[in-house]
Amino acid sequence: LHVEVQRLLITSSTTPCVKKKAALCLLRLVRTSPELIAGREFAPHIATLLQHRHLGVLTSTMSLLIGLATQHESEYESLIPYVVHILGMLVLKKACAREYLYYRTPSPWLQIKLLKFLQFYPQAISSSSLEAPEGNTQYVAQLHSIVNKVLTETDVSDSINKSNADHAVLFEAVNLIVIWGHAGPAQLRDGAMRLLGKFISVREPNIRYLGLMTMSRLAQLEGSAESVKKHQATVLVSLKDADISVRRRALDLLFVMCDTDNAERIVDELVSHLMVADAAIREEMVLKIAILAEKYATDLRWYVDTILKLISISGDFVSDSIWHRVAQIVTNHPQGDLQAYAAATLLVAASPRRCHETAVRVAAYILGEFGFLIAERPGMSGEDQFRILHQHWPTVGPATRAILISTYAKLANLYEECRPLVAPVFVGNKNCVDVEIQQRSAEYAAMREAFSPEAVEDLLREMPPFEDRRQSALEKRLREKEIADGAFGATMDRNVWISRNGKDGEEGARQNGHANDNFNSVDRGSGLHAVEEEQDEGAASSYDENDAPPNEEDIDPNTSNAMPQPGSPDVPVGIPKDVIPAMRKAFSNLCTSPSGVLFENQLLQVGLKHEYSGSQGRVSVFFGNLSGAVLTNFRCEVDECEHLRMQAQGTQGLLEEEGCSVAVRTQAKLLLLSEVTAPFDDAPAMRVTFEYQGQRHDYPLRLPIVATCFMEPVTLEPGAFMQRWKSLEGQERECQEVVKAPPTSAPIDEDCMSRIARIVTDGLKFGRCQGCDPTPWTVSGAATFRTGAKDMNGNNINVGCLVRVEANPQAGAYRVTTRTLHPICSRAVKNVAVVSIKLA
């Protein structure tokens, strides 16, 4: 087929209309199978097409050329003179047919494509090594004149359409200047910086967004730092913009412009803004603040204080890698008083009973290593350190308890008065259901009997300095996250800012790395890494096969075999039977988790990340190709629901009839913006279809968008809770179910009830209402189900929800009761609560 399409494209007798269609058809074929065209043989035909007088043919040819250069960049470098000539005709001579004038701008779409193509070849342009037919450097001078004219003659227009078109060309010209780096003319760089400084202060959000993004690229050039710093105050104002995309770009620019001179002010501003920042941007802000505080800290005590502020303000978004880095830095700097300062500061931070778990972890580690440095201070003895840390034992998770166990062993080794306090903890956890806690407790309890005092001293001495790595783990994680944000799929043309390797330092976006990095690194940056960590800790090992939808009837019985019958390629392959139990467990887990893997087999991995605010939600779905071949005709359909308003956008072709192609070890991406309008108790259906090696696959899935996602916690006093509980009595308002604990599960005790409390608060998003019952075997909570629907007065319609989980330790069972004004709401909350308790 491609041979016939090429023939139509290059034949001189073909009409312009057919040539345009042939170029776009060939582009689609090349994206699917890059090896179809040999670049060196086809480049002369492209050169002929670039001399065509029809601007429609030129525009389609440039689309094809960018797609070809994406695959084989070096083989099309000889076409640069033709591209510069066309650009000169449009910009300098305004040579353009009337029908291609857009608000008096000559074919802005073609100008953009020409500039994008030139960004692939910064060295060829800047070094004057063009292989022009005349063999001279006139094209370099002409290109400089073109870019200078675009910079100097573009202005804001009264017509928003003309302004958008002109600024689109302008920003591509600025991108080209940035790509050139110091090899380009200095006056162009200075002019670009002046223009960007004007654009980041305008009211139009689109122009401000592009200005911030482009200035962050320009700021990476050596010698540009001082020019960028002049706009620091303006960028800080954009950090408080109503548009979250503008805030993200402002954060990127602040991150790039930061150095030792302004680091403290920028970090302090970011920390202050973190208190009011949206959840969607907090994780990125925390990561970048931690990197800046480490990279530019003139006093490491300030660095420790900054990380503690991050934990206190937004502890849920402080990943393990951040506090691990604190431990490494404190351990690797024995000189001065940093270790003693960190130990004293963290002991004070851990003193309140209500303390974030991350603070407990880092305090436990640092006090275990360096607590002896402050043991002589008032109120900081070994016994005081143990009591402060141990007050958090009932409320922290297994991973933190494992760290505490090791800290207790070190405290007992240093201080004899701690040994009688620590010994019962070891004995009480020798039979703990968590293997790590059990092993540590048993080994530390038996250590003094099994080894000599000298050997025990040797085993429990402080850790040696960590190996100094060239790249911080935080910077690596940020790079992986930005790679994932930029990786959309094989059907997209390459983004020069993501794909350039930045080996010259000045000519690429150093933060973005490679778009073609391995698929595993992309997964870690796109929210799937959280699932890998949970599986490492055994969190996925105790799931029940009968937990949650999708139900059996959701899976088409005709498509549930792992492989198609021989000779029947028309029969689609469905979800393999052996995958269905794991898929149900993954769905159930994602109903109360922010990210994870929804589905996975040997061909496809579907990862999901979702976040909610009030009645609105944002769901990102990632489709990763795990096979050894391209997945073609890849489509995704999301069923419409009466109770949800949804907007979908994704990789080009993903939501269309023809589908897209997902290359090996790459991803396609789907973004869903949803708003709930009424109570519901079912999850939206999503169908994924594709072809693999000629065989069609059809996977019916369900998205974990459930009613509890739209809950807002409410804290009630015991009297108010019981009053509302009694007022909601009635068969239609109450929903109840008894859950029997599995025979292999641990007995119901205080630790078990702590897990149930975390399910109610963290998983169901209910506020904990303590003191409602005299018995410790009951957990009560309250929340409001938010909707976007309006009543007659224009106010949002919301539903108050109450839940109680009562445990019977003797019977090994739980009774879950929910009461709301809406029966569907009661049933929905009960279903999610029952499934979560089964998985606990």
Side-chain angles (χ1 to χ4, degrees):
L1 178 62
H2 73 95
V3 175
E4 183 65 20
V5 175
Q6 288 185 54
R7 187 187 65 78
L8 287 172
L9 179 62
I10 64 180
T11 302
S12 58
S13 59
T14 305
T15 63
C17 181
V18 175
K19 280 184 181 290
K20 290 191 293 182
K21 298 293 185 183
L24 296 177
C25 178
L26 191 58
L27 173 61
R28 177 61 64 90
L29 295 175
V30 169
R31 284 172 170 171
T32 305
S33 304
E35 69 283 354
L36 289 179
I37 293 180
R40 295 189 185 279
E41 289 78 10
F42 196 66
H45 297 301
I46 295 290
T48 302
L49 289 168
L50 290 177
Q51 298 175 59
H52 203 285
R53 297 179 63 86
H54 195 286
L55 287 183
V57 174
L58 289 177
T59 304
S60 300
T61 301
M62 282 308 304
S63 297
L64 174 60
L65 180 55
I66 290 174
L68 294 172
T70 295
Q71 307 294 343
H72 307 288
E73 181 178 302
S74 60
E75 297 176 2
Y76 298 94
E77 187 173 343
S78 59
L79 300 177
I80 294 175
Y82 300 96
V83 170
V84 174
H85 174 73
I86 298 170
L87 194 58
M89 295 294 291
L90 293 172
V91 176
L92 300 178
K93 298 183 179 180
K94 305 287 185 181
C96 178
R98 184 179 182 84
E99 59 267 25
Y100 284 94
L101 282 173
Y102 184 78
Y103 290 90
R104 300 187 301 279
T105 300
S107 190
W109 303 279
L110 179 55
Q111 292 187 47
I112 290 169
K113 291 179 185 294
L114 295 165
L115 290 167
K116 279 182 178 291
F117 175 76
L118 293 172
Q119 291 169 22
F120 286 113
Y121 306 99
Q123 291 302 317
I125 295 175
S126 59
S127 62
S128 305
S129 61
L130 300 178
E131 300 174 11
E134 296 82 358
N136 54 45
T137 61
Q138 62 176 322
Y139 296 103
V140 176
Q142 184 181 7
L143 183 55
H144 290 168
S145 301
I146 293 168
V147 174
N148 184 61
K149 185 169 184 178
V150 172
L151 286 181
T152 55
E153 295 189 5
T154 302
D155 205 351
V156 178
S157 170
D158 293 335
S159 169
I160 189 169
N161 292 330
K162 175 174 174 56
S163 182
N164 286 342
D166 290 348
H167 282 90
V169 176
L170 173 63
F171 279 110
E172 290 303 332
V174 174
N175 285 339
L176 184 58
I177 294 172
V178 177
I179 286 287
W180 286 344
H182 286 282
Q187 66 268 24
L188 290 182
R189 289 197 306 278
D190 295 339
M193 183 62 75
R194 284 194 300 272
L195 272 176
L196 293 176
K198 182 174 71 172
F199 291 152
I200 65 174
S201 59
V202 300
R203 295 184 61 183
E204 171 59 38
N206 291 333
I207 294 178
R208 192 161 69 253
Y209 173 93
L210 291 171
L212 290 166
M213 181 176 66
T214 311
M215 184 176 281
S216 68
R217 295 169 177 170
L218 190 57
Q220 295 175 55
L221 298 181
E222 186 179 348
S224 301
E226 292 305 319
S227 301
V228 175
K229 283 182 186 177
K230 296 176 183 177
H231 307 287
Q232 181 175 316
T234 306
V235 179
L236 287 170
V237 172
S238 295
L239 192 64
K240 302 169 185 176
D241 193 88
D243 190 331
I244 190 171
S245 58
V246 173
R247 296 200 298 271
R248 286 186 186 277
R249 298 290 77 82
L251 176 61
D252 291 341
L253 181 52
L254 286 171
F255 183 76
V256 173
M257 71 165 57
C258 192
D259 58 19
T260 50
D261 296 332
N262 60 4
E264 194 164 339
R265 186 191 169 193
I266 288 179
V267 168
D268 289 345
E269 287 281 354
L270 291 176
V271 170
S272 300
H273 181 66
L274 188 62
M275 298 179 185
V276 294
D278 290 348
I281 199 175
R282 278 197 173 195
E283 182 181 1
E284 185 180 355
M285 284 190 69
V286 167
L287 184 57
K288 289 187 173 179
I289 290 170
I291 292 173
L292 293 177
E294 174 192 343
K295 194 171 183 179
Y296 299 111
T298 54
D299 184 351
L300 288 175
R301 292 180 297 180
W302 171 74
Y303 165 71
V304 172
D305 292 339
T306 301
I307 300 300
L308 279 178
K309 287 180 185 176
L310 293 182
I311 295 173
S312 64
I313 295 171
S314 195
D316 291 340
F317 297 92
V318 177
S319 63
D320 285 348
S321 55
I322 293 178
W323 78 260
H324 289 171
R325 191 63 183 157
V326 175
Q328 292 174 12
I329 289 175
V330 173
T331 303
N332 289 2
H333 290 80
Q335 63 275 17
D337 64 341
L338 176 64
Q339 293 175 345
Y341 177 81
T345 305
L346 287 164
L347 183 64
V348 173
S351 295
R353 182 169 289 276
R354 290 188 176 183
C355 175
H356 197 276
E357 189 167 347
T358 304
V360 177
R361 289 186 184 185
V362 65
Y365 185 91
I366 295 297
L367 290 173
E369 297 300 315
F370 310 111
F372 66 91
L373 296 174
I374 61 172
E376 302 301 323
R377 300 183 186 181
M380 295 186 178
S381 65
E383 187 175 351
D384 292 326
Q385 293 177 32
F386 171 80
R387 293 190 187 281
I388 288 173
L389 292 175
H390 196 57
Q391 69 177 337
H392 302 293
W393 180 272
T395 59
V396 297
T400 306
R401 290 186 178 186
I403 299 172
L404 287 171
I405 288 285
S406 295
T407 300
Y408 296 166
K410 295 199 172 195
L411 292 175
N413 180 56
L414 290 171
Y415 315 107
E416 287 191 13
E417 64 270 20
C418 287
R419 291 175 189 173
L421 301 174
V422 169
V425 180
F426 291 161
V427 173
N429 287 280
K430 282 184 179 180
N431 297 317
C432 180
V433 67
D434 188 276
V435 177
E436 184 67 26
I437 296 176
Q438 180 190 105
Q439 183 177 354
R440 293 192 188 200
S441 299
E443 289 178 356
Y444 289 141
M447 186 178 288
R448 295 196 175 277
E449 299 175 3
F451 303 106
S452 64
E454 293 79 11
V456 173
E457 189 77 27
D458 237 12
L459 288 169
L460 295 177
R461 70 172 62 253
E462 63 267 20
M463 294 289 288
F466 292 89
E467 177 186 356
D468 241 345
R469 298 179 180 176
R470 292 184 63 186
Q471 184 183 33
S472 163
L474 298 183
E475 291 178 325
K476 183 179 179 183
R477 185 174 175 214
L478 177 63
R479 180 174 175 271
E480 290 174 348
K481 184 178 186 302
E482 290 175 335
I483 291 170
D485 290 342
F488 267 84
T491 62
M492 303 292 288
D493 288 331
R494 190 179 72 189
N495 185 337
V496 68
W497 297 101
I498 298 171
S499 57
R500 292 196 62 80
N501 57 19
K503 59 187 176 183
D504 295 318
E506 300 172 352
E507 297 172 0
R510 282 177 275 178
Q511 295 179 357
N512 287 342
H514 300 271
N516 298 323
D517 280 353
N518 65 64
F519 183 68
N520 290 332
S521 68
V522 173
D523 280 349
R524 292 187 182 93
S526 62
L528 305 185
H529 183 47
V531 177
E532 296 169 3
E533 293 176 347
E534 289 173 4
Q535 291 174 344
D536 288 344
E537 295 175 4
S541 62
S542 60
Y543 291 162
D544 183 359
E545 182 175 338
N546 302 313
D547 279 337
N551 300 316
E552 288 286 358
E553 54 265 32
D554 296 328
I555 310 300
D556 186 351
N558 296 322
T559 64
S560 59
N561 295 321
M563 295 297 291
Q565 295 298 322
S568 58
D570 294 333
V571 178
V573 179
I575 298 176
K577 287 183 179 179
D578 57 338
V579 177
I580 292 175
M583 182 180 70
R584 290 177 178 167
K585 296 167 188 173
F587 174 92
S588 303
N589 196 42
L590 276 168
C591 288
T592 55
S593 300
S595 61
V597 174
L598 180 63
F599 170 85
E600 183 173 7
N601 65 1
Q602 69 273 22
L603 301 180
L604 178 69
Q605 182 188 64
V606 181
L608 184 138
K609 185 175 183 180
H610 53 153
E611 53 194 9
Y612 302 87
S613 177
S615 62
Q616 298 180 337
R618 177 189 176 97
V619 183
S620 300
V621 188
F622 306 88
F623 305 92
N625 183 355
L626 301 181
S627 70
V630 176
L631 304 181
T632 57
N633 297 328
F634 195 101
R635 294 184 62 235
C636 175
E637 295 181 33
V638 180
D639 289 356
E640 294 184 1
C641 305
E642 293 181 356
H643 53 268
L644 285 175
R645 287 194 289 258
M646 285 197 287
Q647 295 180 357
Q649 62 185 57
T651 301
Q652 183 179 351
L654 179 66
L655 300 170
E656 299 172 5
E657 190 68 29
E658 64 271 20
C660 65
S661 296
V662 184
V664 178
R665 307 183 77 79
T666 62
Q667 292 179 322
K669 183 177 178 181
L670 171 67
L671 175 64
L672 296 172
L673 302 177
S674 63
E675 184 178 42
V676 65
T677 57
F680 64 100
D681 61 350
D682 58 342
M686 177 177 71
R687 184 171 293 272
V688 179
T689 59
F690 60 89
E691 289 184 9
Y692 173 71
Q693 296 182 345
Q695 178 64 55
R696 182 167 167 263
H697 290 251
D698 189 340
Y699 296 162
L701 305 172
R702 284 195 178 273
L703 293 168
I705 304 176
V706 293
T708 53
C709 295
F710 303 95
M711 292 292 176
E712 198 168 276
V714 175
T715 304
L716 298 176
E717 294 296 328
F721 179 90
M722 295 309 299
Q723 183 180 359
R724 295 193 185 187
W725 182 261
K726 291 177 181 178
S727 68
L728 290 174
E729 287 180 347
Q731 188 174 1
E732 292 184 356
R733 297 178 175 182
E734 181 181 289
C735 203
Q736 189 175 93
E737 184 173 340
V738 176
V739 185
K740 191 74 175 176
T744 56
S745 64
I748 298 176
D749 55 12
E750 292 183 2
D751 291 345
C752 187
M753 294 309 296
S754 296
R755 290 197 296 273
I756 297 298
R758 284 197 293 273
I759 289 172
V760 171
T761 56
D762 298 341
L764 305 183
K765 297 185 179 178
F766 273 63
R768 178 83 183 273
C769 300
Q770 295 180 322
C772 297
D773 293 276
T775 169
W777 309 114
T778 302
V779 176
S780 302
T784 301
F785 177 77
R786 299 291 185 185
T787 76
K790 306 286 186 181
D791 61 13
M792 296 177 61
N793 298 321
N795 300 318
N796 282 25
I797 299 175
N798 304 313
V799 181
C801 306
L802 302 178
V803 64
R804 298 188 77 187
V805 182
E806 301 163 280
N808 187 334
Q810 290 75 27
Y814 302 91
R815 182 171 65 188
V816 180
T817 309
T818 58
R819 291 184 182 179
T820 75
L821 285 170
H822 202 292
I824 293 180
C825 227
S826 300
R827 187 165 62 249
V829 175
K830 185 267 297 179
N831 290 343
V832 178
V834 167
V835 170
S836 301
I837 290 173
K838 287 181 179 180
L839 297 180

